[in-house]
Amino acid sequence: MAPMGIRLSPLGMAVFCLLGLGVLYHLYSGFLAGRFAFFMLSEPAAGGPESPRGSAPAGAVDLRELLAVSVLAAVRGGEEVKRVREGNVLNAKAKGKTREGAEEQLTSGDLLSNRRMFYLLKGAFPAVQINSEEHVDTADQETVSWDRSIPEEIKQKIQPKEVPAESVTVWIDPLDATQEYTEDLRQYVTTMVCVAVNGKPVIGVIHKPFSSYTAWAMVDGGSNVKARSSYNEKTPRIIVSRSHAGKVEQVARQTFGNKTVIIPAGGAGYKVLALLDVAEKNQEEADVYIHVTYIKKWDICAGNAVLRALGGHMTTLTGEEITYTGSDGNEGGLIASINMNHKALIEKLPDLEKTSHK
């Protein structure tokens, strides 16, 4: 007997297909709904908490944000420096001696500026290494908040750029030219912040508290300061430290002639600004900046970054790049220039390097 055959009409086939689709829908609807819910939860809910606007993800630092808070830190520190000086409550005391035997001063301006700058930067970027000239006393810890606002000038000139937090070192000089500060030579005084990435200076901020002038620059980014239109390479004006102008003067005049002008000045920040186009009444102008003795990195990092951003150079007296990691001191002296043949300058001043380690 032949087996019985089953025939489905077109209507039956349609019903069968619909039943199959129904089974598939129930099997996968739970899965799809779960994926959709995960996607929605991964986005900030409307009106709910979200990460700060424009902030970098965890483990990363936005250099534009770091520039903005560095400018603010230099200004806030400068306010403390100015307030202490104008109130004549310096409480100056000796904190030790330099390698040359000169007594180093410490004032309330140094300490209060340092506290304000350090905690503002640390609060904004807690994962970043911060090196400061002055010791930070945890007993004096204060909360200094940053609202994460970025000045329009920085927004217009600088694009966001993220780097790993562990690659960043911030160098603070809460009061550059403390000796001159105690002598009331206010034009030399600056507050400075520098950001180095993998040891290379990329952000520099130099602020003059008593005139409210601030210069800032970011390598491969932008700046609010520029080089002058011309420099004298044949008989350059050389700016040097007030404490050892004679050492440089003798060698410089042997190299460039008796018409070479030596400008004694205080503060590394002031000396770097002397190489630039700075419309300040009390700011002298120079063509080359030379330092022939040991110097701390927080004194020079910001100026180095500004010069690099503008196409200039700051190296040791033998032409080596200065690395802003490891120890806090630079042993090889320095020579800084912009829009000049930096290598030729170094070759003309070989004898200066011999004094830099003394």
Side-chain angles (χ1 to χ4, degrees):
M1 188 174 177
M4 291 182 62
I6 299 175
R7 287 188 178 182
L8 289 177
S9 67
L11 179 59
M13 287 291 290
V15 171
F16 182 82
C17 289
L18 287 172
L19 288 172
L21 289 172
V23 171
L24 291 173
Y25 170 80
H26 285 289
L27 285 173
Y28 286 95
S29 61
F31 171 78
L32 292 172
R35 295 301 295 171
F36 179 74
F38 174 81
F39 173 78
M40 291 302 292
L41 287 172
S42 67
E43 295 293 319
E50 59 180 323
S51 57
R53 174 175 52 86
S55 62
V61 172
D62 181 357
L63 291 180
R64 184 171 73 167
E65 288 189 344
L66 192 44
L67 168 59
V69 76
S70 295
V71 170
L72 182 60
V75 171
R76 291 277 180 86
E79 291 170 355
E80 296 297 317
V81 168
K82 184 178 180 181
R83 181 176 63 82
V84 168
R85 179 65 266 185
E86 292 184 342
N88 199 27
V89 286
L90 275 66
N91 299 316
K93 60 182 180 180
K95 69 172 183 178
K97 291 190 176 182
T98 66
R99 289 191 178 184
E100 294 78 38
E103 195 172 78
E104 284 193 288
Q105 297 287 316
L106 178 67
T107 71
S108 296
D110 294 90
L111 297 174
L112 293 172
S113 174
N114 184 67
R115 188 171 68 183
R116 182 61 58 90
M117 294 173 71
F118 178 87
Y119 285 115
L120 176 57
L121 287 158
K122 198 65 178 175
F125 294 96
V128 164
Q129 171 70 32
I130 301 177
N131 296 337
S132 176
E133 179 172 8
E134 308 304 340
H135 174 70
V136 179
D137 190 344
T138 54
D140 292 331
Q141 183 172 347
E142 64 176 89
T143 301
V144 186
S145 61
W146 176 48
D147 62 5
R148 310 200 79 84
S149 63
I150 300 175
E152 282 301 318
E153 184 180 33
I154 292 177
K155 279 185 181 179
Q156 292 171 8
K157 295 183 177 182
I158 307 292
Q159 295 299 313
K161 182 178 181 180
E162 293 177 5
V163 296
E166 63 269 19
S167 70
V168 175
T169 305
V170 177
W171 296 83
I172 299 175
D173 193 340
L175 201 170
D176 189 37
T178 299
Q179 180 61 43
E180 287 72 21
Y181 182 65
T182 63
E183 298 173 23
D184 208 15
L185 299 174
R186 304 182 183 195
Q187 70 272 25
Y188 297 128
V189 175
T190 63
T191 57
M192 297 188 286
V193 181
C194 175
V195 176
V197 178
N198 295 320
K200 295 182 178 180
V202 298
I203 289 174
V205 180
I206 304 174
H207 175 68
K208 301 181 79 172
F210 297 102
S211 65
S212 299
Y213 173 82
T214 306
W216 58 261
M218 177 172 156
V219 175
D220 297 327
S223 70
N224 72 338
V225 65
K226 62 182 180 179
R228 298 200 308 272
S229 58
S230 64
Y231 295 85
N232 189 337
E233 292 195 53
K234 291 185 178 180
T235 54
R237 293 163 295 180
I238 301 176
I239 194 163
V240 300
S241 172
R242 293 170 69 220
S243 62
H244 55 76
K247 292 181 181 179
V248 181
E249 183 173 4
Q250 183 179 359
V251 176
R253 288 191 170 155
Q254 289 174 355
T255 304
F256 298 107
N258 291 330
K259 292 184 179 180
T260 302
V261 176
I262 302 298
I263 305 171
Y270 178 89
K271 296 183 189 82
V272 167
L273 292 178
L275 305 182
L276 305 176
D277 185 7
V278 175
E280 284 277 298
K281 182 176 67 174
N282 293 326
Q283 178 66 61
E284 296 166 284
E285 290 186 354
D287 301 302
V288 181
Y289 165 27
I290 293 175
H291 189 88
V292 298
T293 59
Y294 175 85
I295 192 168
K296 292 297 184 72
K297 290 178 181 178
W298 42 66
D299 289 320
I300 59 176
C301 186
N304 196 340
V306 170
L307 289 173
R308 282 189 71 221
L310 299 176
H313 303 275
M314 180 184 287
T315 65
T316 66
L317 294 172
T318 56
E320 297 174 0
E321 296 294 335
I322 301 168
T323 301
Y324 294 91
T325 54
S327 70
D328 60 14
N330 172 51
E331 297 277 359
L334 71 83
I335 179 168
S337 69
I338 186 168
N339 291 351
M340 298 178 73
N341 188 333
H342 192 76
K343 185 177 179 181
L345 288 172
I346 293 167
E347 291 172 350
K348 288 179 180 179
L349 298 170
D351 295 335
L352 287 177
E353 198 275 334
K354 296 175 183 178
T355 67
S356 66
H357 299 284
K358 294 181 181 179

